[in-house]
Amino acid sequence: MSILRKTIEDIKEIVKKSGYEVETLAIEPSNRKDLGEYQLNDAMQLAKTYHENPREIATKISEELKKDGRFINVNIAGPGFINFSLSEDYLKDFLNKINNDLFANIDKKEKKKIIIDYGGANVAKALHVGHLRSANLGEALKRLARALGYEVLGDAHLGDYGRPLGFVVLEIQKMYPELPYFDKNYTGNYEELTLPIQNEDLEKIYPLASQKAKESEAYLEEGREVTTKIQNHERGYYDLWKKIVEISKEDIKKVYERINTEFELWLGESDAAEYFQELEQIFEEKHLLIESQGAKIVEVAEEEDKAPMPPLLFVKSNGTLSYETTDLATILQREKEYHPDEIWYVVDSRQGLHFEQTFRSARKAELVRKEVSLEHIGFGTMNGKDGKPFKTRDGGVMSLKGLIELVKEETLKRINSSIVLEEEKSSIAEDVAIAALKYADFLPYRETDYVFEVEKFADLEGKTGPYLLYSTIRMKSLLKKAENLNAKTIKQISGSTEREIALTLLELPNILEKSLQSRSLNDIAEYLYVLTSAYNKFYAEHMILTEENKELQESWLVLTEIVYKVNNFLLEILSMKVPEKM
Ligand code: ARG
């Protein structure tokens, strides 16, 4: 149990001793620290339950509180608010405990297995801003859930199936008809062939082929045929598709690496294909498939629906399977192969309907055990100044690589040339850029849209990733300079800024819990700023290295070390790298 939680439990006991029972205490940090650091607001509610005067109840409780040395400055305000502060011994003890083990103040969860689906990059197609948001949120939620004790698997769930790739193969056939992949008489080994095409070419072929398919019915038909050939594992076509996936995947991996995102599972939509037959059989046996104009659909509307809920398209009229079907097959696959307790989908909110239809169908067909939760964790868009999804200057879709470069250009300008060598600059500017992008992405609640403002994100001052990195590096360098002082224990915690830092640290488990519950990182992002700013205020108030009172100096250094550790812990959850200097 966290130290905070334990103290709250003890206060509950104190309330009980005073003669009253409460389920959960109404206790909160107060914003009038001069009156008391915390406020206990239960007397008013208890007055109703026990038919007593709230001020009398508050008096009885505060008498008991006063007997416990941990609580000081106990006083009653208004109709029965109890204010109190924490004793210096309590805070010292707390700080020394978390300095030894940060997890002494973190509540661990029961064992649970979660699969998080937060990749969704499409093969042969450049990643874009939407993929950045999935990756940022998903990776951070994964790290958070893990830190709290869950077992979590991240799945890249690559978009490697379906018609767009048929078009890419078709276009390659048109460009290089002489390739052995299209030669029926070729008997050699495809794996040894090298393709005259690289990832950059694929990223150009993809939009070109999709455009052609839009313009020409004949091309569309050819593309469909090629898609079917690939899906039927036809020699040559299937092998070329595999090659494309391989080339593209290598690049996709590099992009995810750049944004500090790592998947345990690199499965794709195509990996669920082996479950299609079984899936269809389940739906058939349960009589869930309805013929409709040559297609097969699943009715998912429910009486309580307030908005229209169209049926899920299971098999299209041309015989191909839909995006919904690949997700259904993937659910079946995950249930069979991994047996998760929860599956989280970190995908753009605009796909809400898709997931609602998919989850309802999965429930109807009982693809997962009843207790398994399926959850769409949606997010808003990153917009341009015009309030529309962020675009390139010429109005095209902004690639993720382009976006990173844009921010990097800005962070590069702010690297301190007097301490960073020329050859280190690029890699440091990259770390700072990623932190800038991620932090800006985490600050608003996940479903809120926000505006891309590169100068603001890259700023060293204010609520930004670079500010957090810069401050954390400064803590580290202070600790390095004071290494020989061997600071180990907090012996005093007297100044009001120090107390403010200690009280903020005490709140950490609440922040982690809130973030996990809301599946959003905004509370952690905000907390990092509050803690770092409180520390910087403290840093400005004292000359730590030259302080002559050795007890005080040691306490300050240990406090620095704790904030440094907490910052690193949280930055690590947010998947932001702290460079050595910047
Ligand atoms: N590939 C899809 C896209 O780019 C996202 C996939 C999201 N995950 C899922 N299980 N449907 O839109």
Side-chain angles (χ1 to χ4, degrees):
M1 201 189 312
S2 72
I3 294 169
L4 180 67
R5 198 90 51 219
K6 167 89 176 59
T7 308
I8 291 175
E9 285 305 311
D10 291 347
I11 296 177
K12 232 160 118 179
E13 279 307 305
I14 290 174
V15 172
K16 203 168 169 185
K17 245 190 181 165
S18 325
Y20 308 99
E21 296 252 9
V22 271
E23 190 70 45
T24 37
L25 284 180
I27 188 168
E28 53 190 43
S30 135
N31 36 20
R32 283 286 309 273
K33 298 276 187 269
D34 53 323
L35 297 180
E37 290 163 340
Y38 288 89
Q39 201 171 61
L40 185 68
N41 301 337
D42 289 280
M44 279 63 71
Q45 190 54 45
L46 287 170
K48 286 187 197 136
T49 325
Y50 287 86
H51 305 290
E52 284 177 37
N53 178 316
R55 253 199 106 91
E56 268 165 37
I57 297 177
T59 309
K60 280 197 230 163
I61 296 175
S62 57
E63 286 316 312
E64 284 300 324
L65 271 176
K66 281 180 194 161
K67 288 185 201 157
D68 191 312
R70 289 176 290 179
F71 311 111
I72 57 166
N73 187 18
V74 184
N75 63 83
I76 304 170
F81 298 104
I82 304 172
N83 298 310
F84 67 91
S85 297
L86 294 166
S87 74
E88 186 179 353
D89 278 343
Y90 177 94
L91 290 181
K92 272 193 312 200
D93 191 45
F94 159 69
L95 290 169
N96 286 321
K97 271 194 189 129
I98 61 166
N99 187 36
N100 283 331
D101 174 18
L102 193 55
F103 282 86
N105 194 34
I106 291 175
D107 296 302
K108 284 267 177 183
K109 299 283 179 187
E110 82 276 28
K111 267 260 159 280
K112 213 188 236 183
K113 190 191 220 174
I114 306 172
I115 292 183
I116 312 187
D117 180 322
Y118 65 98
N122 300 309
V123 162
K125 201 177 169 190
L127 276 83
H128 56 71
V129 181
H131 297 120
L132 172 74
R133 296 215 72 194
S134 285
N136 284 350
L137 263 167
E139 182 72 21
L141 287 175
K142 181 175 84 179
R143 292 176 183 213
L144 172 63
R146 238 181 227 164
L148 296 179
Y150 291 127
E151 180 188 346
V152 195
L153 290 173
D155 183 12
H157 197 70
L158 290 181
D160 60 358
Y161 201 75
R163 221 190 292 158
L165 284 173
F167 293 136
V168 171
V169 170
L170 172 64
E171 192 53 33
I172 293 176
Q173 182 171 22
K174 297 213 183 276
M175 293 164 82
Y176 306 95
E178 71 289 354
L179 283 177
Y181 297 98
F182 311 114
D183 177 359
K184 283 210 165 60
N185 302 319
Y186 180 74
T187 52
N189 188 347
Y190 289 110
E191 272 160 38
E192 284 159 10
L193 294 176
T194 44
L195 207 58
I197 289 168
Q198 281 165 356
N199 188 63
E200 301 85 80
D201 307 310
L202 288 175
E203 287 181 2
K204 281 182 205 125
I205 293 172
Y206 190 108
L208 177 75
S210 319
Q211 190 55 34
K212 283 192 182 175
K214 262 187 219 146
E215 284 161 6
S216 147
E217 189 57 44
Y219 192 93
L220 182 71
E221 191 43 46
E222 272 183 281
R224 275 190 196 133
E225 278 163 24
V226 173
T227 311
T228 310
K229 283 179 186 168
I230 298 170
Q231 295 183 348
N232 292 338
H233 292 213
E234 190 171 315
R235 216 178 118 75
Y237 286 92
Y238 177 70
D239 297 276
L240 177 56
W241 167 79
K242 269 212 326 222
K243 194 86 183 174
I244 293 170
V245 172
E246 193 185 300
I247 295 171
S248 171
K249 207 161 150 178
E250 213 176 293
D251 188 74
I252 289 174
K253 279 191 174 166
K254 278 194 205 134
V255 182
Y256 278 125
E257 230 168 78
R258 274 184 91 176
I259 54 173
N260 311 329
T261 300
E262 35 198 59
F263 297 100
E264 286 64 44
L265 305 174
W266 274 92
L267 296 172
E269 293 176 0
S270 70
D271 289 294
E274 56 185 287
Y275 286 90
F276 283 156
Q277 254 191 340
E278 188 180 342
L279 183 78
E280 190 161 1
Q281 208 177 340
I282 296 174
F283 274 82
E284 289 286 9
E285 274 166 16
K286 297 203 151 95
H287 307 290
L288 294 169
L289 296 183
I290 299 167
E291 296 277 343
S292 167
Q293 300 165 344
K296 287 182 190 173
I297 58 169
V298 184
E299 282 298 351
V300 288
E302 285 164 13
E303 237 165 72
E304 306 83 64
D305 285 338
K306 295 209 173 64
M309 180 56 65
L312 174 142
L313 188 56
F314 196 92
V315 188
K316 296 185 198 164
S317 53
N318 62 18
T320 58
L321 300 171
S322 66
Y323 178 42
E324 285 68 36
T325 329
T326 55
D327 262 324
L328 285 170
T330 308
I331 291 177
L332 186 60
Q333 178 186 29
R334 286 176 179 157
E335 170 73 355
K336 295 218 160 189
E337 296 179 19
Y338 301 98
H339 229 64
D341 299 296
E342 300 187 0
I343 309 177
W344 297 0
Y345 296 81
V346 186
V347 183
D348 196 319
S349 292
R350 290 173 291 186
Q351 292 198 25
L353 180 62
H354 160 78
F355 284 108
E356 191 55 36
Q357 293 176 311
T358 304
F359 296 164
R360 287 188 186 188
S361 304
R363 293 268 174 236
K364 280 190 142 179
E366 295 176 72
L367 299 183
V368 286
R369 289 150 293 145
K370 273 203 182 60
E371 62 274 21
V372 177
S373 85
L374 303 170
E375 190 181 336
H376 174 210
I377 299 172
F379 53 78
T381 54
M382 183 173 107
N383 293 336
K385 293 216 166 81
D386 59 358
K388 296 198 188 100
F390 190 61
K391 294 261 162 37
T392 56
R393 230 168 270 160
D394 51 20
V397 176
M398 186 54 138
S399 78
L400 177 48
K401 283 184 203 165
L403 184 72
I404 296 174
E405 291 308 328
L406 213 66
V407 183
K408 192 169 166 182
E409 230 171 80
E410 211 56 44
T411 52
L412 207 48
K413 290 184 205 158
R414 293 169 171 81
I415 297 293
N416 184 346
S417 295
S418 61
I419 53 167
V420 175
L421 302 175
E422 203 48 44
E423 62 267 31
E424 301 170 323
K425 269 191 180 168
S426 171
S427 120
I428 292 178
E430 169 112 2
D431 284 346
V432 182
I434 299 302
L437 260 176
K438 285 193 183 254
Y439 191 72
D441 202 24
F442 291 137
L443 256 185
Y445 172 64
R446 68 177 153 79
E447 285 192 290
T448 312
D449 299 341
Y450 67 95
V451 175
F452 178 77
E453 286 171 283
V454 69
E455 293 90 4
K456 188 170 135 194
F457 294 179
D459 203 339
L460 282 174
E461 309 273 333
K463 267 191 199 178
T464 68
Y467 170 73
L468 297 177
L469 296 190
Y470 177 80
S471 309
T472 308
I473 292 172
R474 199 165 66 175
M475 292 172 207
K476 187 178 183 184
S477 112
L478 170 67
L479 291 169
K480 186 125 189 65
K481 283 186 197 136
E483 227 166 19
N484 57 336
L485 294 173
N486 226 342
K488 287 213 157 48
T489 319
I490 297 227
K491 296 183 171 129
Q492 309 187 8
I493 178 98
S494 41
S496 66
T497 316
E498 286 104 298
R499 287 188 72 93
E500 191 183 318
I501 294 172
L503 295 176
T504 306
L505 289 166
L506 210 46
E507 288 300 313
L508 181 63
N510 285 344
I511 301 301
L512 297 177
E513 184 63 28
K514 240 172 120 181
S515 272
L516 184 74
Q517 291 311 328
S518 63
R519 316 280 197 242
S520 178
L521 283 307
N522 57 302
D523 286 302
I524 292 182
E526 186 70 33
Y527 179 84
L528 259 167
Y529 178 73
V530 170
L531 180 64
T532 303
S533 306
Y535 179 82
N536 285 345
K537 183 170 153 212
F538 156 80
Y539 183 89
E541 281 170 2
H542 305 293
M543 301 288 286
I544 303 176
L545 285 177
T546 51
E547 174 59 42
E548 286 180 1
N549 178 338
K550 291 296 152 194
E551 266 202 2
L552 204 53
Q553 185 185 48
E554 177 169 6
S555 302
W556 286 344
L557 284 169
V558 176
L559 191 64
T560 303
E561 181 153 2
I562 296 170
V563 176
Y564 175 70
K565 280 191 224 169
V566 170
N567 269 17
N568 270 307
F569 170 67
L570 295 178
L571 291 169
E572 175 79 30
I573 286 182
L574 299 188
S575 201
M576 288 155 61
K577 279 194 196 145
V578 186
E580 289 296 317
K581 51 189 169 181
M582 65 187 265

